[in-house]
Amino acid sequence: MKPYMNRIVLKNSVKAVRKAPLVSVLIWPIWAHANMSTVPDNHYPLPERGDIIGQNYQVIANQEDTLIDIARVHNVGYEEIRSANPDVSLWVPGEGTTVTIPRQHILPHVPRTGIVINVAELRLYYYPDVSNDETPWVETYPIGIGREGYNTPLGITETTIRLENPAWYPPRSMREEAAARGEPAPAVVPPGPENPLGDHAILLDIPGYLIHGTNQPDGIGMRASRGCIRMYPEDIESIFYNIPSGTQVNIIDQAIKVGGNEGGDAFVQVFKTVDTEQANIDSLKAMLLSQSLAEEVELAMLENQRLNDLFEQPDDQIISLSTFYQSQNENDEEAIDMDIYQMITQIDQRHC
């Protein structure tokens, strides 16, 4: 299976997200099955070699666009779009502003089966079962997860019941908190626009935890829930009927990811949630060795100061490992500088 080229479409504004397309300034590869039916652009064939899927691209904002509008159209979350565009205004990017869409991902370093949720990057990966004559693929979606104090639990579980138009039963703790504020919460919220579960929910084999839609899609890509996994309404709908009960769900927290492309080049990604007390240069080098992405002699050539900067100021971006090697040009410049210094010293000595 090979990519063929097609043009990206960007929507005019939040009101036009489902109506009118704009032509982007760049070319974007759309994948096709063997029968040439177009696969949605959040579906990627698993690479035969390596761990990298997708690619970043750029679009031009219209006057009405916000970064949140653009993020939803291009299937990325709040933190992703903010980290990829740190100098762009969230609410008023401005007519003609170039916006980077971060659609390249390093696949998490865990078995590629079922659902994998990496809370560090606020993203879900789904590896469907395929028949022997099908090319394996992965689907990936931005998510919202539990805020501080309501962390989404880690570990391996599975899907149980799928609910369409679910009712929502606010937990007792939420009702008690609301009552303390003088805002009594109902015991049940029926299906409809006020229901925070949206129109679809997939229960996990962890009591009280679900993968579900939302009536507040602007919160996708944030840590804002009470522990459940939220998805854009269109995303949860796209997987709802395809994920069978009993599908494994592996919830992980990989704040550092390393991976290689099909050419064998290594890449590093450090998320802003990284715990620098536990993660350091040694742990990164160990990951590179264990995944056969670098040899000992190569690791010895890495610039530790540059790696320290990466941990001290993580930005969620995928960076080539080659960025952290001291280049031969730098060695040459140091040698030239030393030669000039020695020449000046010798001249000074002759004129003493």
Side-chain angles (χ1 to χ4, degrees):
M1 182 181 298
K2 296 182 179 180
Y4 65 89
M5 306 306 288
N6 201 347
R7 291 193 177 273
I8 298 175
V9 252
L10 173 63
K11 312 300 181 182
N12 285 318
S13 67
V14 64
K15 294 182 179 179
V17 163
R18 299 292 180 265
K19 296 179 182 178
L22 281 177
V23 177
S24 166
V25 296
L26 292 186
I27 301 296
W28 173 244
I30 303 297
W31 292 94
H33 283 306
N35 63 9
M36 297 306 293
S37 62
T38 302
V39 178
D41 67 354
N42 53 2
H43 294 54
Y44 303 93
L46 287 179
E48 294 183 4
R49 179 188 179 193
D51 317 279
I52 309 292
I53 58 171
Q55 67 184 57
N56 297 341
Y57 56 91
Q58 294 179 322
V59 296
I60 302 300
N62 282 333
Q63 183 176 357
E64 301 86 358
D65 290 327
T66 70
L67 275 188
I68 294 177
D69 300 333
I70 296 172
R72 183 173 181 183
V73 169
H74 291 276
N75 205 239
V76 297
Y78 174 86
E79 290 290 348
E80 290 176 309
I81 200 77
R82 291 287 285 158
S83 296
N85 300 275
D87 299 323
V88 176
S89 169
L90 177 63
W91 299 112
V92 189
E95 177 80 23
T97 298
T98 299
V99 177
T100 297
I101 308 298
R103 288 295 302 269
Q104 186 177 67
H105 309 289
I106 300 176
L107 295 174
H109 188 56
V110 292
R112 297 173 183 175
T113 183
I115 295 172
V116 175
I117 295 171
N118 188 8
V119 297
E121 65 176 315
L122 295 156
R123 185 157 281 273
L124 178 150
Y125 297 85
Y126 173 46
Y127 301 91
D129 292 333
V130 297
S131 60
N132 292 335
D133 59 346
E134 285 185 291
T135 299
W137 79 89
V138 59
E139 305 172 24
T140 182
Y141 304 92
I143 58 173
I145 61 169
R147 63 183 183 271
E148 186 175 356
Y150 295 94
N151 294 333
T152 301
L154 305 180
I156 295 179
T157 183
E158 64 181 20
T159 61
T160 57
I161 302 172
R162 293 177 296 180
L163 299 175
E164 194 168 3
N165 297 317
W168 178 55
Y169 297 85
R172 177 180 297 179
S173 61
M174 179 179 288
R175 299 199 304 271
E176 291 174 349
E177 291 172 7
R181 297 192 303 267
E183 305 170 358
V188 60
V189 177
E194 301 302 317
N195 191 317
L197 300 184
D199 296 331
H200 301 86
I202 303 173
L203 277 65
L204 301 179
D205 195 23
I206 307 174
Y209 290 91
L210 308 82
I211 301 172
H212 61 80
T214 180
N215 63 345
Q216 297 180 327
D218 287 357
I220 299 302
M222 296 183 181
R223 295 165 178 82
S225 78
R226 296 176 75 92
C228 287
I229 295 97
R230 300 175 179 176
M231 300 180 69
Y232 285 130
E234 58 272 21
D235 287 349
I236 184 70
E237 183 177 5
S238 72
I239 66 172
F240 182 80
Y241 300 100
N242 299 327
I243 294 180
S245 298
T247 297
Q248 176 179 291
V249 179
N250 189 4
I251 306 175
I252 62 175
D253 184 12
Q254 287 189 1
I256 304 173
K257 293 199 296 181
V258 298
N261 63 12
E262 292 188 344
D265 301 313
F267 294 83
V268 177
Q269 187 174 25
V270 180
F271 294 97
K272 296 173 183 176
T273 57
V274 66
D275 184 351
T276 54
E277 293 184 359
Q278 297 182 5
N280 50 42
I281 295 175
D282 290 337
S283 60
L284 174 61
K285 291 181 177 179
M287 293 173 67
L288 292 166
L289 283 174
S290 66
Q291 293 181 228
S292 300
L293 294 170
E295 303 290 341
E296 289 279 4
V297 64
E298 296 172 307
L299 297 182
M301 296 169 60
L302 291 172
E303 282 287 315
N304 286 346
Q305 184 55 54
R306 294 179 187 176
L307 290 174
N308 276 329
D309 292 342
L310 178 63
F311 283 104
E312 291 176 3
Q313 295 182 322
D315 60 4
D316 298 356
Q317 305 307 296
I318 296 175
I319 306 171
S320 172
L321 187 66
S322 63
T323 303
F324 302 99
Y325 288 110
Q326 183 171 353
S327 69
Q328 185 61 45
N329 288 336
E330 289 176 332
N331 291 329
D332 292 344
E333 289 172 2
E334 290 180 3
I336 291 172
D337 290 343
M338 181 61 69
D339 290 342
I340 292 174
Y341 175 78
Q342 290 172 342
M343 289 172 60
I344 294 173
T345 301
Q346 292 172 2
I347 293 172
D348 288 344
Q349 289 173 346
R350 285 198 300 268
H351 288 79
C352 287

